[in-house]
Amino acid sequence: MRIWLLARVHLGTVAVLFVLTLSACLLVAGLPRAMQASYDEALRRSLTAAPAVQADLTVAVESGSREEDLRERAQFDSRARLWREIVPAELRPLTTAPGHMNAKTTLTPMTGTGGQTYLNLGWLSDADRRVDWVQGRAPGAPNTMRYEGETIPVFEAGIVEEAQREMDLKVGQTKIVGENDYAAVKIVGVFRAKDPGDRYWSHNSDILHVTKLQPPGGLDFEKHTTALISDAGLTALSGEGRHLTYRWILPLDTGAVGALAAPGLQAAVTEFDRVVGLQSTSTASPYHVETGLPNLLDGFLTGLFTAQTVMYLVLGGLLAVALGVIVLAVQLLADRLDHPLTLARARGGSLGQVAGAAAALTGLAVVPGAAAGYALSYLVPGPVLPIVHAGPVIVVLVAVGFAAVRLALLHRTPLHSRRDDVAAGRASAKRITLEVLVVVLALAGAYLLRARGLSASAGQDPFLLVVPVALTVAAALVTLRCYPYPLRLLVRLASRGRAAVPFLGLTRAARARSASVLPVLILLPALAVSVFAAVVGDGISGTQRLASWQQVGAPIRMTSEIEIPADALERVRGTAGVEQVVLAQTGRVQVGYAAERAEAIAVDVAQWRSLLGDAPIDLPALSDGGALVSPELRGRGTLEIGWQARLKLATRGVISSVPGFYTQGKFMVVPLSVQIRPAVNTLLIKGDASVSELARLVPSATVESQEGALRAIQDDPLTSTVRWTLVVVTGALAAYALIAVVLSLVIGSSERARAVSFLRTLGLSERQAQRLTVLEILPMILLTALVGLGLGLGLPSALGPGVDLSSYAGDLPVGDYSLDPFLPSALAAGLAAVAVLGAYAHTVISRRRSLGAVLRVGDLS
């Protein structure tokens, strides 16, 4: 059979099939690549944003005796080489960067301070490249001295500038440390980090800063710092009399991490810890791995699994709808081939030749389209996943297979004949039972998913992926079975009228056979998934806005660790764009007379409420002399707190959180007027002033804006991927829905035109023919649209706890799935408009036919 001739004759249909295949393969192959690239970027950002001490791998061991001490750098180097040799293969590409080693003591009290000041000793393998000495000199070799009748080691050490200020240490001083096993520390220099912002210092923050800790039950803070010693100091540093830990840090190359490898990395870290432990020479202090990488990966994978679940749902629906539209186009092509293939069968053509010709012609359209879409997908950045290769193959196989099977079944016998003008027969009991079973299982699955939530096992929950598909199939079956009944009621009402068009149009719609309405049911999953995507996207957007307000608590918030001067306040008030400024003071207050502490903010709540305006957050009113307290402080009646002075405040209400400040623990909100002299360190600002300008006016303050917090939430790679994918899928499905309506109109155009032509011979006018066509096709389209919209609106609630989108909304649960009515109205109006335009187009085409020719063709059938 001459395939090229058939392709030239049916060039329009072949071109439509080519374009549909190209777009479907581009979406199916390109979207997963873009999504995976964003997943990789999200993981890299997550690991980069985390402190290096959590993301990196650290091998540590405690020394408890002189036999376990490491006295030379060479001993550290040999173990460093060993750790890199035994790193699992999954981690090896990520640990290629050079690391460093350190030795530190902890909880080394300064003698005579009553346990309030701790001066630890620390050695860094690369201190010469990390610090600059701004006073004195670098430490040298240790020596000894006599103290309380004993000879003790004297370590030469350097301290950071912050320790010099906070702990009143000076160059030249010698401090005794320890409680029984004494040692002396001679301060010989003061250093400053060359790059304080380097991730390196995350592992050594105790050397770079003074740590203040409040012991349980204590009112005063302990101060801890670590002084830097030289390589030579290792010879005298022992774990026999103090807490000494050796560490080897293997930095993680966050730029080489991929989301696909994340689950394997968790197992690799566990294996590395096991292998490292086998190298231990002492059971009392074995080698072990210190890292927060598994926890970081757990948090990322939690958000990733949710993102993948949503993506699987919408992309699965997109693929199903795309395949359905392609099948419609193949059906249109098959209808065009019906007459020549019937002649071929009548002249002795075999069934294989007929099926082969249909498959070849379909392949001539879909194979180049699939290849073009597959090639264009490589323009999308991202890793190549199996679906990138499998998606176009599936599209081609479905299209070619449907064409071959459909025409093979249609032309089983030569000169086949069929009647399209009668109602379909009743379905068998088995079929009805099967359909009822599908509906019951779908409803039961939705109920169980809400009742049991997600599976506790890691990875995707198959139950979550099956339930939406089952609900869609159930809705389609119910629609197919039930739509004729309301139409028949309308037919009865129309039969009582004098006009023939409503009766004829509704009758033809009610008697449409299942095979003829199935193409239109592609609209159901298309609308359901697109509305689901729109609902989820709208819910995420609303919750993101709420989260940004809860994070900041005002349009702009300025916080400072010290009091903001009065002249700075006036400059802020005079800044362009500032409309209102609310003063506040934050601090940690003593509750009662014991060691109990609570966070507090003193503010004029009425002014704060006025500043918020129509923001999605609110605060309860607060009268003077009272306080709003957290749930942990409820039920105490009048509270007495220590803050500048002793204050007695009656509890006026319980508040679960203070937007922009406190979300858990013990906290309270008090009126600013209760302070004798408010030490304002926080400003709540309304307006569109420049954040950078405000930060310049008050250098000691940190300035945050609600808009900046919202952008930070929205710019997260996972969040932005979910949102733009939902937008793309919504647009694609809307387009596919409209194409499905057009194709369904074109597929039935010949039969519809023949029927209209017959009626035209009986006196039917052109205007009546147009109304007849609209009444025939519009009921099914509108009913399917309503069911699809209802299913899409109900899917988020039906899935319930199975889709936790808090990772994309500032860690707030997304529960308000409200939808702007514009989208369903636009979709319904668009579909109705296409249907009406299609009806007019068909009547125009039918008008061009010769009625005599139609009658003769009808006589032959």
Side-chain angles (χ1 to χ4, degrees), residues 524 527-536 538 785-799 816-821 823-825 827:
L524 195 147
L527 290 173
V529 176
S530 60
V531 173
F532 170 77
V535 169
V536 170
D538 191 69
L786 290 176
V787 174
L789 290 172
L791 181 61
L793 292 171
L795 271 179
S797 299
L799 298 180
D816 183 16
Y817 291 113
S818 58
L819 181 67
D820 189 339
L823 179 62
S825 301
L827 288 173

Side-chain angles (χ1 to χ4, degrees), residues 247-335:
R247 291 183 176 87
W248 293 260
I249 290 87
L250 280 66
L252 192 73
D253 182 5
T254 57
V257 181
L260 292 175
L265 292 180
Q266 292 178 304
V269 171
T270 303
E271 175 63 15
F272 185 44
D273 187 31
R274 185 189 69 83
V275 176
V276 164
L278 296 177
Q279 315 304 317
S280 303
T281 57
S282 170
T283 56
S285 54
Y287 288 101
H288 59 280
V289 176
E290 297 177 346
T291 181
L293 183 59
N295 292 333
L296 293 174
L297 294 175
D298 274 336
F300 169 76
L301 290 175
T302 299
L304 176 64
F305 289 150
T306 303
Q308 288 177 331
T309 297
V310 176
M311 296 301 98
Y312 287 158
L313 290 176
V314 296
L315 290 181
L318 176 62
L319 177 59
V321 171
L323 289 175
V325 174
I326 290 173
V327 166
L328 275 180
V330 173
Q331 182 178 346
L332 176 61
L333 181 60
D335 289 346

Side-chain angles (χ1 to χ4, degrees), residues 392-411:
V393 174
I394 293 173
V395 171
V396 171
L397 292 178
V398 169
V400 174
F402 176 78
V405 172
R406 185 179 187 278
L407 288 176
L409 294 176
L410 197 62
H411 295 276

Side-chain angles (χ1 to χ4, degrees), residues 662-684:
Y662 318 119
T663 58
Q664 59 183 359
K666 299 176 182 178
F667 56 84
M668 63 183 68
V669 181
V670 304
L672 188 63
S673 58
V674 303
Q675 298 286 52
I676 298 175
R677 189 195 71 82
V680 175
N681 59 7
T682 301
L683 301 180
L684 305 174

Side-chain angles (χ1 to χ4, degrees), residues 395-537:
V395 171
V396 171
L397 292 178
V398 169
V400 174
F402 176 78
V405 172
R406 185 179 187 278
L407 288 176
L409 294 176
L410 197 62
H411 295 276
R412 288 191 302 270
T413 58
L415 296 177
H416 64 283
S417 62
R418 58 187 184 274
R419 294 290 302 275
D420 292 328
D421 58 341
V422 295
R426 293 186 177 182
S428 64
K430 291 182 180 180
R431 182 172 178 178
I432 293 177
T433 303
L434 181 61
E435 292 176 356
V436 171
L437 180 62
V438 170
V439 174
V440 172
L441 289 178
L443 295 176
Y447 171 77
L448 291 176
L449 182 60
R450 289 188 58 85
R452 95 195 208 323
L454 282 176
S455 173
S457 60
Q460 295 295 328
D461 185 355
F463 200 64
L464 181 60
L465 302 177
V466 170
V467 168
V469 176
L471 288 173
T472 304
V473 173
L477 291 175
V478 172
T479 304
L480 267 177
R481 289 300 172 197
C482 297
Y483 93 94
Y485 299 107
L487 287 181
R488 289 173 185 174
L489 292 177
L490 293 177
V491 169
R492 289 188 178 182
L493 294 177
S495 64
R496 298 178 181 178
R498 299 178 60 87
V501 171
F503 173 76
L504 291 174
L506 293 175
T507 299
R508 286 181 58 82
R511 291 185 177 183
R513 299 173 3 139
S514 297
S516 63
V517 299
L518 277 174
V520 184
L521 287 181
I522 294 174
L523 298 176
L524 195 147
L527 290 173
V529 176
S530 60
V531 173
F532 170 77
V535 169
V536 170

Side-chain angles (χ1 to χ4, degrees), residues 354-370:
V354 169
L361 184 58
T362 304
L364 189 63
V366 299
V367 170

Side-chain angles (χ1 to χ4, degrees), residues 540-790:
I540 291 176
S541 298
T543 310
Q544 285 175 341
R545 181 171 178 268
L546 174 61
S548 66
W549 277 100
Q550 290 193 352
Q551 288 180 11
V552 181
I556 302 175
R557 184 188 67 192
M558 178 181 292
T559 56
S560 174
E561 294 183 357
I562 60 176
E563 182 178 358
I564 300 176
D567 58 339
L569 291 178
E570 295 304 318
R571 290 196 298 270
V572 170
R573 286 194 174 100
T575 302
V578 173
E579 301 176 11
Q580 181 182 358
V581 178
V582 177
L583 309 182
Q585 178 183 354
T586 61
R588 190 172 177 83
V589 302
Q590 181 184 16
V591 181
Y593 291 91
E596 185 179 11
R597 300 276 177 156
E599 303 293 337
I601 177 171
V603 64
D604 188 324
V605 175
Q607 291 186 12
W608 193 358
R609 286 162 55 91
S610 173
L611 177 141
L612 292 175
D614 59 351
I617 58 174
D618 196 11
L619 290 166
L622 177 62
S623 59
D624 292 342
L628 301 173
V629 300
S630 65
E632 295 187 17
L633 294 175
R634 76 167 74 200
R636 302 195 184 188
T638 300
L639 290 173
E640 185 169 352
I641 64 173
W643 194 12
Q644 291 187 349
R646 302 302 301 184
L647 301 173
K648 290 186 177 181
L649 301 168
T651 301
R652 301 298 188 190
V654 178
I655 184 170
S656 59
S657 65
V658 180
F661 295 92
Y662 318 119
T663 58
Q664 59 183 359
K666 299 176 182 178
F667 56 84
M668 63 183 68
V669 181
V670 304
L672 188 63
S673 58
V674 303
Q675 298 286 52
I676 298 175
R677 189 195 71 82
V680 175
N681 59 7
T682 301
L683 301 180
L684 305 174
I685 303 170
K686 180 180 181 180
D688 57 355
S690 169
V691 172
S692 58
E693 177 64 18
L694 293 174
R696 187 187 64 80
L697 294 176
V698 187
S700 64
T702 301
V703 183
E704 298 176 86
S705 69
Q706 178 267 329
E707 292 182 354
L710 180 59
R711 284 194 301 270
I713 295 173
Q714 293 176 340
D715 290 343
D716 177 77
L718 278 181
T719 302
S720 60
T721 298
V722 169
R723 295 193 67 208
W724 69 253
T725 303
L726 293 178
V727 171
V728 171
V729 170
T730 301
L733 288 173
Y736 278 134
L738 297 179
I739 293 172
V741 173
V742 174
L743 288 178
S744 64
L745 289 170
V746 175
I747 289 173
S749 61
S750 178
E751 177 190 351
R752 191 174 301 109
R754 186 167 60 249
V756 169
S757 297
F758 273 115
L759 293 173
R760 290 275 309 279
T761 63
L762 300 177
L764 191 72
S765 67
E766 292 183 10
R767 187 177 298 276
Q768 288 176 322
Q770 292 170 354
R771 291 202 301 267
L772 177 65
T773 305
V774 170
L775 285 174
E776 179 183 348
I777 64 175
L778 199 57
M780 188 61 195
I781 291 176
L782 293 181
L783 183 59
T784 306
L786 290 176
V787 174
L789 290 172

